[in-house]
């Protein structure tokens, strides 16, 4: 069990069915999200094995009652009371359920055994299954610990790649800031002040997209989309709504929650970095327009570049920046990304459900 805890779980189910004389047995593992959660049937044996991986309601099932009572529960013909059982054409003369908890605090689910007749289970069966449930709970806790460790390792690997990618972008952006500032400054003092101000703005924008390595928690605070866009784009030039402004911003007031703000900050930072290295922000004449609108419960953000180097088409190879964009908009916010590689400049459309921006 210490080396391969998941492998012993079906063996415990087999043992429970064998020791109690049941005709079927399995685990109903509790999944709390989305609330109020569901039970997922796993490691099924016997007559109900075809229902492996099925889900049942947390608050409308014998398993839910068992967790609420935190004690062994005997149910006779539950299909008479729960329509999802009868709808599946399942007949359960009698089922014995015992709760699975971590330290009597964190609910894991239930271990259950089905009999083909009523009056089969007694107190002795309940005591045996409760003893087995203690081992099952330990095994499940070990499985969860392994899963959390694996997720943490994968997250740290992704964050390390992200950090390397962003550091490279920072150097490229800094070089562009120096070049652009030198063209528009009339003296050494003015050049120094301009570069210092833009580097300060760049540091603020960079800080908006920092993350925690402990659990992936976002460290930003909710703000408006306009404030976020202006902060991220300020190092690259004047930002405003006027036509003559190099970076034009327009859209209705829209508040972002912490998670959405971090996701949009990453996406905008990546788009701005690419524009500074390859696109409209690479030279002094290029412009970027960022607009957004709400339509049918979704927010559409358009990023339009003009005046930069001629675009020959979509790149033949996509780098880690594309992975960041996909992770930020598609995976984190359930949105879509569309790239349109026009000769006059890149057009990117981000489409995100409005409900996901508050998170």
């Amino acid at each position: 069990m210490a080396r391969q805890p998941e492998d012993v779980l079906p063996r415990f189910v087999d043992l429970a069915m064998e020791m109690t004389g049941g005709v079927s047995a399995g685990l109903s593992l509790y999944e709390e999200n989305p609330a109020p959660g569901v039970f997922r049937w796993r490691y099924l044996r016997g007559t109900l094995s075809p229902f492996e991986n099925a889900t049942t309601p947390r608050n409308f099932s014998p398993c839910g009652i068992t967790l609420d009572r935190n004690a062994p529960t005997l149910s006779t013909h539950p299909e008479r009371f729960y329509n999802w059982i009868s709808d599946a054409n399942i007949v359960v003369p009698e089922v014995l359920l015992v709760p699975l908890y971590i330290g009597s605090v964190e609910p894991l689910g239930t271990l259950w055994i089905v009999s083909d007749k009523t009056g089969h289970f007694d107190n002795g069966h309940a005591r045996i299954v409760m003893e087995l449930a203690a081992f099952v709970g330990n095994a499940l806790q070990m499985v969860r610990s392994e899963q959390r460790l694996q997720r943490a390792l994968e997250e740290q690997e992704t964050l390390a790649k992200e950090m390397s990618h962003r550091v490279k972008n920072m150097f490229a952006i800094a070089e562009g800031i120096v070049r652009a500032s030198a063209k528009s400054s009339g003296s050494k003092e003015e050049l120094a002040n301009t570069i210092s101000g833009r580097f300060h703005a760049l540091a603020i924008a960079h800080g908006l997209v920092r993350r925690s390595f402990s659990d992936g928690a976002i460290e930003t605070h909710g703000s408006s989309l306009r404030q976020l866009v202006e902060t991220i784009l300020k190092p690259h030039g004047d930002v405003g709504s006027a036509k003559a402004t190099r970076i034009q911003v327009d859209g209705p007031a829209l508040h972002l929650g912490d998670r959405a703000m971090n996701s949009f900050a990453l996406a905008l930072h990546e788009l701005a970095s690419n524009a500074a290295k390859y696109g409209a922000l690479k030279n002094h004449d290029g412009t970027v327009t960022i607009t957004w609108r709400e339509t049918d419960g979704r927010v559409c953000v358009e990023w339009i570049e003009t005046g930069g180097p001629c675009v020959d088409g979509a790149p033949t190879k996509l780098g880690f920046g594309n992975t960041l964009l996909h992770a930020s908009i598609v995976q984190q916010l359930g949105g879509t990304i569309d790239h349109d590689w026009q000769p006059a400049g890149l057009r990117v459309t981000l489409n995100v459900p409005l409900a996901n921006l508050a998170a």
Side-chain angles (χ1 to χ4, degrees):
M1 187 168 75
R3 282 179 285 186
Q4 295 178 309
E6 189 165 7
D7 290 347
V8 305
L9 290 172
R11 295 171 60 184
F12 280 130
V13 175
D14 287 333
L15 190 59
M17 190 168 66
E18 179 181 336
M19 296 179 70
T20 60
V23 296
S24 187
L27 302 180
S28 290
L29 301 183
Y30 177 49
E31 298 177 2
E32 60 181 347
N33 293 315
V38 297
F39 292 101
R40 186 173 300 276
W41 288 10
R42 295 297 315 278
Y43 314 109
L44 269 57
R45 294 292 189 267
T47 57
L48 295 183
S49 58
F51 294 93
E52 177 75 23
N53 216 38
T55 58
T56 58
R58 163 62 177 87
N59 292 339
F60 188 60
S61 69
C63 295
I65 293 176
T66 303
L67 279 190
D68 293 339
R69 295 182 65 243
N70 194 13
T73 301
L74 187 65
S75 178
T76 301
H77 285 291
E79 70 274 10
R80 297 174 181 174
F81 308 99
Y82 302 101
N83 56 1
W84 56 265
I85 301 180
S86 56
D87 289 345
N89 294 319
I90 299 174
V91 177
V92 182
E94 191 172 74
V95 56
L96 174 63
L97 308 97
V98 296
L100 302 173
Y101 274 90
I102 295 179
S104 299
V105 176
E106 182 179 351
L108 297 174
T110 65
L111 166 62
W112 49 263
I113 307 96
V114 171
S115 171
D116 59 357
K117 61 182 179 180
T118 58
H120 174 79
F121 296 115
D122 56 30
N123 290 337
H125 292 135
R127 185 173 59 255
I128 291 172
V129 179
M130 281 294 291
E131 292 177 358
L132 281 176
F135 290 99
V136 174
N138 289 335
L140 285 172
Q141 184 176 10
M142 295 169 69
V143 169
R144 288 194 173 189
S145 296
E146 285 189 355
Q147 292 173 342
R148 288 168 180 165
L149 176 60
Q150 184 61 35
R151 285 196 297 267
L153 291 174
E154 292 172 354
E155 179 183 279
Q156 289 196 19
E157 182 180 0
T158 300
L159 291 175
K161 290 180 180 179
E162 178 183 320
M163 184 60 66
S164 174
H165 176 77
R166 286 173 54 202
V167 167
K168 293 177 182 178
N169 278 347
M170 290 286 285
F171 281 113
I173 294 171
E175 181 183 359
I177 287 175
V178 173
R179 286 200 309 266
S181 300
K183 291 181 180 180
S184 58
S185 300
S187 65
K188 292 186 295 183
E189 291 76 13
E190 184 181 356
L191 175 62
N193 289 334
T194 301
I195 292 177
S196 176
R198 289 181 174 173
F199 276 178
H200 179 66
L202 182 62
I204 294 174
H206 183 77
L208 286 174
V209 293
R210 69 184 186 271
R211 296 173 182 244
S212 166
F213 278 81
S214 60
D215 58 2
I218 305 307
E219 298 181 358
T220 57
H221 298 284
S223 182
S224 74
L225 180 57
R226 178 180 290 275
Q227 290 175 325
L228 178 64
V229 171
E230 291 176 349
T231 302
I232 296 293
L233 273 297
K234 185 178 180 180
H236 302 280
D238 295 333
V239 182
S241 56
K243 292 290 185 181
T245 307
R246 186 183 190 194
I247 301 172
Q248 300 171 22
V249 179
D250 185 42
L254 189 63
H255 182 79
L256 302 177
D258 288 350
R259 183 165 63 92
M261 183 178 177
N262 188 77
S263 296
F264 267 107
L266 275 172
L268 291 167
H269 195 276
E270 183 60 31
L271 290 171
S273 299
N274 288 339
K277 290 191 292 184
Y278 315 112
L281 299 179
K282 184 176 182 180
N283 58 41
H284 190 66
D285 299 323
T287 63
V288 174
T289 301
I290 304 104
T291 63
W292 59 93
R293 63 185 185 277
E294 299 178 23
T295 306
D296 297 329
R298 301 181 71 87
V299 174
C300 178
V301 180
E302 290 189 306
W303 171 284
I304 303 173
E305 299 182 28
T306 56
C310 182
V311 176
D312 295 329
T316 56
K317 183 179 180 181
L318 297 176
F320 186 70
N322 185 71
T323 301
L324 281 183
L325 274 174
H326 188 274
S328 301
I329 301 301
V330 179
Q331 296 179 3
Q332 294 293 324
L333 298 180
T336 60
I337 306 173
D338 179 61
H339 290 80
D340 186 6
W341 305 91
Q342 296 286 335
L346 172 65
R347 299 172 65 100
V348 180
T349 303
L350 311 177
N351 202 301
V352 176
L354 182 62
N356 293 348
L357 299 187

